[in-house]
Amino acid sequence: MRIVRDGQVREIDAKELVPGDVMFVESGVQMPADGRLLEASNLQVREAALTGEAHAVSKQVDAQLPEDIALGDRTNMVFQGTEVVQGRGTVLVTNTGMQTELGKIATMLQSVEAEPTPLQQRMDQLSQVLVYGSLSLVALVVFGGLFISGMGKFRELLEVSLSMAVAVVPEGLPAVITVTLALGTQRMVRRHALIRRLPAVETLGSVTTICSDKTGTLTQNKMVVQSVHPGGASFQITGDGYSPEGEFLADDCHTPISATSHPNLAALLLAGVLCNDAALQKENGEWAILGDPTEGSLLVAAAKAGFSQSEWTYRLPRIGEFPFSSERKRMSVIVSAQPVKNGKTSGAMLLNPLPFAGLTLGSIDGAPYLLCCKGSPELVLEHCEQIQINRTAEPLTAAQAQQILEQNDQLASRGLRVLGLAYKPLITQPPEGTEESTERNLIWLGLVSMLDAPRPEVREAVARCRSAGIRPVMITGDHQLTACAIAEDLGIAKHGDEVLTGRDLEKCDPVEFQQHVDRVSIYARVAPEHKLRIVQALQRQKELVAMTGDGVNDAPALKQADIGIAMGITGTDVSKEASDMVLLDDNFATIVSAVEEGRVVYTNIRRFIKYILGSNIGEVLTIAASPLLLGAAGVPLSPLQILWMNLVTDGLPALALAVEPAEPNVMSRPPHNPSESIFARGLGWYMVRIGIVLAAIAITLMTWSYHYTQASGDPNRWKTMVFTTLCLAQMGHAMAIRSNTRLTIELNPFSNHFLLIAVGLTTLLQLMLIYVPPLRNFFGTHFLSTTELGICIGASLLMFVWVELEKLFVRWFRRG
């Protein structure tokens, strides 16, 4: 890199820069440090890494700016990590390394500490309950038994207590939760959401606030012309994205019109095609813009009217130009208005340089050249002396100029980007460097307004957020007016809602900002540290925050958020590394779909925890009751049989319950409290209740079967009957627990065919333990007659009937 240091020109490595050096930059250079501009020639810098906005920023040496101006508005500064896309300049280095704006982002990223997810906190709570519960149970049985019966029963008491400890611990639960999260991840990928951290699957279901960037996430990241305003008229343009399909609607009647039947409109569109450096092309079946998106939108608008860029640039070839500069804020091109033969212009001149419009512009008849100009409406209008009305150029009056400026202000106030276009016939081709004298006495054509249009599916996604009790918040580096226009259009905010800018945030102290954060839905012109501050303020309000981002500047906020969401298409590697989830299509609607999947996953986790722990409590109570009721007859379940129940009988149906489809109201209710206990909303009471019912069924059968089997045959058959009843009862429980409110007969039995397979397979395996001799010997079971097996099946069905009766009672109680 070429620099000036101590008055001498040197070539050094970019890593050797120090504050005070003067460096020279040009198109294609990536800035190695922060600096103040000393000289600039048409310098444009892409600052997406810092601001998140893709369009290049025009730099101005002589700009006088306040100290607290937003990062994206510092037009007299350049920053490390940004890229020069046009022009050249001389820069005084002000900061390097970690002192740069990019370095400050790295510092913030390092300062953010990862917090455990709600699922991790709940599983930690569950594990503590299970550990302390099992230890207390062992101690209670051993010491209580010793106190009552003395040391002579120590061996039997220890056997019972250890069996209970094994029974109460759900050995298969960690595997089931891991598989459930993995299956949720798989489903999310099919919906274009890539999960990078497994616990984030469940966390998504608890999200209460989604903070989204605007460009590319809520919008298409495609500039689209919304309306055109040739002299004295206005037309709306329909269509989405860069597809050259759409209609022109007259503002007064909203009926489609033909652009070629309106000479002023046709001339305005053609001027936009000629004064253009972009290209509209089809790539892999998709229309795309090569070049500046703003210029590309003009090509799309003209194509909707049937004006082909290739045709008109051939018929009116460019022979010169005055390029855009930040000082002039406009560009002009000179085209030849002579007929083209064999690729060259002939000597005979066109009588009309705009033949498609049928114009009879007396002022330009016979002119061999045509100048087309576009740029800032105010500055282009300043150089106009005439205005195109119908088929003639008329003098531009002060009233007309004022009306145009008012129209421009009105469009800009709606967040639209507005360009003004004009033309001028030329007798001779102007030499280079004569733009000031040539761009005079122009003929005004009209205004073109454009917008990075919202994605069509986002409006519905925002509405789904609202119905699900989730608050969407827009955080953007774009201007306030544009942010408000998009937010109001999408339903994120209403007209008149409070908006905070980066400068406002700088002035707010933490206490004051905390009072605003719960009612502000639009943040504009924000810097990286502002995004982090917003996320932290929302988290202090006990909100569970999802934050989207694509640039390096977003990484600290992504890491701080409960769910950091990076963009898969436009996102940087740094933002993806800091995120929990990557949007493969950069679409806000995908976030809402992922939230839905997260809610389904959490609901299913709670469902199979109810199923597993309810069964385990029933096992524990049954084991505990056996020595009390049967004395020295022993424990009905061996440790191996308990493990079989916990791993197979519990595990297979639990895995099937993990893929239970979403209930109809999953996105019609508010999110549950992220800090709620795993036992909240009646889950703990349900497990205890079901455990008691299951134990009551098993204990009743155990008491009867013990006396029944003592009369004849193998006296230990009662143990196998208790074992079989507990296992088959869990199958009925699994079928009934699919829904908390709907009866099993009201559900589609094939909506979760995995459960049918799991129940059928587990039942078959259980029967094999009884009737296949090698398995019977290994697991210590005993052969049961058909009558005895039928009694076990009948008793186990009572569990299914009980759960269904509970649903009917709840339904009756709510109606009452």
Side-chain angles (χ1 to χ4, degrees):
M1 167 169 282
R2 189 164 61 95
I3 69 161
V4 176
R5 181 183 292 173
D6 300 329
Q8 297 180 352
V9 178
R10 304 182 184 183
E11 288 287 340
I12 67 168
D13 189 273
K15 296 178 182 179
E16 299 174 14
L17 280 171
V18 295
D21 287 345
V22 175
M23 60 181 178
F24 303 95
V25 297
E26 59 186 1
S27 179
V29 169
Q30 190 172 46
M31 292 293 180
D34 290 0
R36 175 68 163 85
L37 280 174
L38 301 178
E39 296 177 359
S41 175
N42 196 24
L43 184 65
Q44 294 188 22
V45 181
R46 184 179 290 117
E47 298 180 341
L50 286 178
T51 65
E53 299 304 315
H55 59 269
V57 178
S58 297
K59 296 297 182 177
Q60 299 175 334
V61 175
D62 55 354
Q64 300 295 320
L65 305 173
E67 291 185 7
D68 60 348
I69 195 167
L71 191 67
D73 293 327
R74 299 177 191 174
T75 54
N76 56 8
M77 298 284 293
V78 294
F79 305 101
Q80 182 182 7
T82 60
E83 180 186 359
V84 179
V85 296
Q86 185 175 324
R88 60 184 184 275
T90 304
V91 178
L92 174 65
V93 176
T94 56
N95 288 302
T96 60
M98 298 301 286
Q99 303 304 314
T100 63
E101 295 297 330
L102 201 62
K104 293 176 183 177
I105 294 173
T107 302
M108 285 191 290
L109 191 58
Q110 293 171 359
S111 67
V112 175
E113 296 182 0
E115 295 288 338
T117 67
L119 179 62
Q120 290 170 328
Q121 294 173 359
R122 289 163 182 153
M123 290 303 100
D124 182 61
Q125 178 194 27
L126 178 61
S127 64
Q128 290 182 27
V129 170
L130 292 175
V131 168
Y132 294 130
S134 59
L135 291 177
S136 301
L137 200 59
V138 170
L140 179 65
V141 171
V142 172
F143 292 109
L146 290 176
F147 179 76
I148 295 173
S149 56
M151 290 298 295
K153 296 290 185 179
F154 179 76
R155 181 184 179 88
E156 292 82 355
L157 291 171
L158 187 61
E159 181 182 343
V160 170
S161 63
L162 291 177
S163 297
M164 292 172 65
V166 172
V168 79
V169 176
E171 290 84 359
L173 185 60
V176 173
I177 289 178
T178 303
V179 172
T180 302
L181 295 175
L183 292 173
T185 298
Q186 190 179 48
R187 292 196 300 271
M188 288 184 181
V189 168
R190 288 198 290 266
R191 301 180 79 166
H192 308 293
L194 176 64
I195 300 298
R196 295 187 66 252
R197 295 182 176 87
L198 207 55
V201 176
E202 178 274 337
T203 309
L204 278 162
S206 303
V207 164
T208 60
T209 303
I210 299 177
C211 297
S212 176
D213 190 18
K214 175 184 69 67
T215 306
T217 308
L218 296 172
T219 65
Q220 303 175 42
N221 200 18
K222 297 177 180 178
M223 295 300 295
V224 179
V225 174
Q226 304 291 307
S227 61
V228 289
H229 308 270
S234 294
F235 302 93
Q236 304 297 317
I237 305 179
T238 65
D240 289 321
Y242 291 144
S243 174
E245 298 176 0
E247 294 180 327
F248 289 78
L249 307 177
D251 234 12
D252 53 351
C253 57
H254 296 286
T255 54
I257 57 98
S258 171
T260 55
S261 64
H262 290 73
N264 291 354
L265 173 59
L268 177 62
L269 295 173
L270 180 59
V273 171
L274 297 175
C275 190
N276 206 305
D277 291 325
L280 176 64
Q281 55 191 27
K282 205 167 191 178
E283 299 176 350
N284 301 321
E286 296 268 339
W287 288 97
I289 291 297
L290 184 64
D292 183 73
T294 301
E295 292 192 316
S297 68
L298 298 176
L299 297 180
V300 175
K304 290 176 181 177
F307 301 139
S308 166
Q309 180 189 25
S310 58
E311 176 187 354
W312 286 101
T313 53
Y314 173 75
R315 293 174 65 175
L316 300 171
R318 184 187 301 190
I319 59 174
E321 66 179 290
F322 300 127
F324 177 88
S325 71
S326 55
E327 292 78 21
R328 294 169 53 244
K329 292 187 178 180
R330 61 184 182 276
M331 71 169 287
S332 298
V333 299
I334 297 94
V335 299
S336 174
Q338 304 178 66
V340 177
K341 292 183 180 179
N342 299 324
K344 297 181 179 180
T345 56
S346 71
M349 293 181 297
L350 273 175
L351 293 179
N352 186 353
L354 304 176
F356 69 96
L359 299 178
T360 56
L361 307 178
S363 60
I364 64 173
D365 284 347
Y369 306 107
L370 184 69
L371 178 143
C372 295
C373 177
K374 78 168 187 294
S376 168
E378 300 94 334
L379 297 180
V380 173
L381 188 63
E382 281 182 7
H383 292 76
C384 291
E385 296 291 337
Q386 295 177 287
I387 182 172
Q388 187 69 37
I389 301 293
N390 295 325
R391 298 177 181 273
T392 59
E394 300 177 356
L396 178 65
T397 66
Q400 289 172 324
Q402 183 61 32
Q403 184 180 7
I404 292 170
L405 292 175
E406 290 175 357
Q407 190 174 40
N408 173 55
D409 293 339
Q410 181 185 10
L411 293 170
S413 68
R414 290 162 44 196
L416 298 167
R417 183 175 297 179
V418 188
L419 290 178
L421 289 98
Y423 76 98
K424 175 184 179 181
L426 298 173
I427 301 300
T428 60
Q429 181 178 347
E432 292 185 12
T434 60
E435 52 264 37
E436 287 302 321
S437 58
T438 305
E439 292 175 338
R440 294 182 180 277
N441 303 319
L442 302 180
I443 302 171
W444 178 259
L445 284 173
L447 297 169
V448 178
S449 66
M450 59 199 70
L451 184 71
D452 181 6
R455 290 178 180 265
E457 64 274 18
V458 170
R459 291 183 185 88
E460 181 184 353
V462 169
R464 291 185 69 198
C465 274
R466 297 288 190 191
S467 66
I470 301 171
R471 183 164 73 102
V473 175
M474 177 191 290
I475 304 177
T476 179
D478 210 341
H479 288 281
Q480 178 176 338
L481 292 175
T482 306
C484 289
I486 297 294
E488 291 171 18
D489 186 14
L490 294 175
I492 292 175
K494 300 187 292 294
H495 183 71
D497 281 0
E498 186 176 0
V499 181
L500 288 181
T501 64
R503 186 178 294 185
D504 296 331
L505 289 173
E506 290 286 353
K507 296 176 181 178
C508 281
D509 61 65
V511 176
E512 183 183 1
F513 179 50
Q514 204 67 45
Q515 297 171 352
H516 288 273
V517 72
D518 59 345
R519 61 175 183 268
V520 176
S521 296
I522 306 174
Y523 297 90
R525 301 308 272 175
V526 295
E529 61 270 20
H530 299 147
K531 296 184 179 182
L532 181 61
R533 186 178 171 189
I534 293 167
V535 171
Q536 291 172 335
L538 287 168
Q539 289 175 329
R540 282 193 290 271
Q541 297 273 18
K542 304 303 181 183
E543 301 283 345
L544 197 140
V545 183
M547 171 75 189
T548 71
D550 55 4
V552 176
N553 62 318
D554 296 322
L558 291 177
K559 191 174 179 181
Q560 176 67 45
D562 299 283
I563 291 289
I565 305 172
M567 303 295 110
I569 299 174
T570 60
T572 60
D573 290 341
V574 175
S575 65
K576 293 176 184 177
E577 186 63 29
S579 69
D580 302 292
M581 183 176 86
V582 178
L583 295 184
L584 300 180
D585 58 357
D586 291 10
N587 194 336
F588 180 85
T590 300
I591 304 175
V592 182
S593 300
V595 169
E596 179 181 358
E597 287 291 350
R599 290 190 173 189
V600 173
V601 166
Y602 181 47
T603 300
N604 287 342
I605 287 175
R606 284 175 55 88
R607 183 177 285 120
F608 64 64
I609 285 177
K610 286 196 300 185
Y611 167 71
I612 291 175
L613 293 185
S615 302
N616 286 11
I617 291 173
E619 296 171 26
V620 169
L621 295 177
T622 302
I623 294 171
S626 60
L628 298 176
L629 298 176
L630 305 180
V635 179
L637 302 173
S638 68
L640 186 60
Q641 291 171 350
I642 294 172
L643 286 174
W644 169 267
M645 294 177 66
N646 288 355
L647 293 174
V648 180
T649 309
D650 288 350
L652 291 178
L655 283 173
L657 289 171
V659 295
E660 185 68 27
E663 296 199 25
N665 67 336
V666 68
M667 290 298 283
S668 302
R669 58 167 177 78
H672 298 302
N673 187 346
S675 59
E676 72 174 15
S677 163
I678 189 65
F679 304 110
R681 290 181 282 123
L683 187 143
W685 166 234
Y686 177 90
M687 293 188 306
V688 172
R689 187 173 69 249
I690 291 300
I692 291 173
V693 172
L694 179 60
I697 294 171
I699 291 169
T700 302
L701 179 93
M702 178 178 66
T703 305
W704 174 85
S705 63
Y706 173 75
H707 296 289
Y708 167 77
T709 57
Q710 302 306 306
S712 62
D714 186 349
N716 288 322
R717 297 196 314 278
W718 68 275
K719 295 182 180 181
T720 301
M721 292 183 71
V722 173
F723 176 42
T724 303
T725 300
L726 284 171
C727 290
L728 296 183
Q730 292 182 50
M731 299 304 99
H733 186 202
M735 295 297 296
I737 206 175
R738 289 183 61 194
S739 174
N740 296 330
T741 55
R742 291 184 293 169
L743 298 176
T744 303
I745 58 173
E746 296 173 341
L747 300 172
N748 179 1
F750 301 104
S751 61
N752 187 355
H753 59 276
F754 293 106
L755 184 60
L756 296 177
I757 295 171
V759 169
L761 179 61
T762 306
T763 302
L764 177 62
L765 291 173
Q766 181 64 29
L767 295 177
M768 290 174 66
L769 297 190
I770 302 172
Y771 297 110
V772 176
L775 293 176
R776 186 167 65 236
N777 295 333
F778 182 76
F779 282 92
T781 58
H782 303 272
F783 185 89
L784 298 180
S785 67
T786 305
T787 302
E788 291 166 347
L789 179 63
I791 292 172
C792 293
I793 294 173
S796 64
L797 284 174
L798 294 176
M799 186 75 252
F800 174 81
V801 173
W802 175 272
V803 177
E804 295 294 282
L805 288 175
E806 278 194 358
K807 296 177 188 176
L808 288 174
F809 175 78
V810 171
R811 187 179 297 181
W812 170 81
F813 182 79
R814 288 178 177 173
R815 286 177 180 173

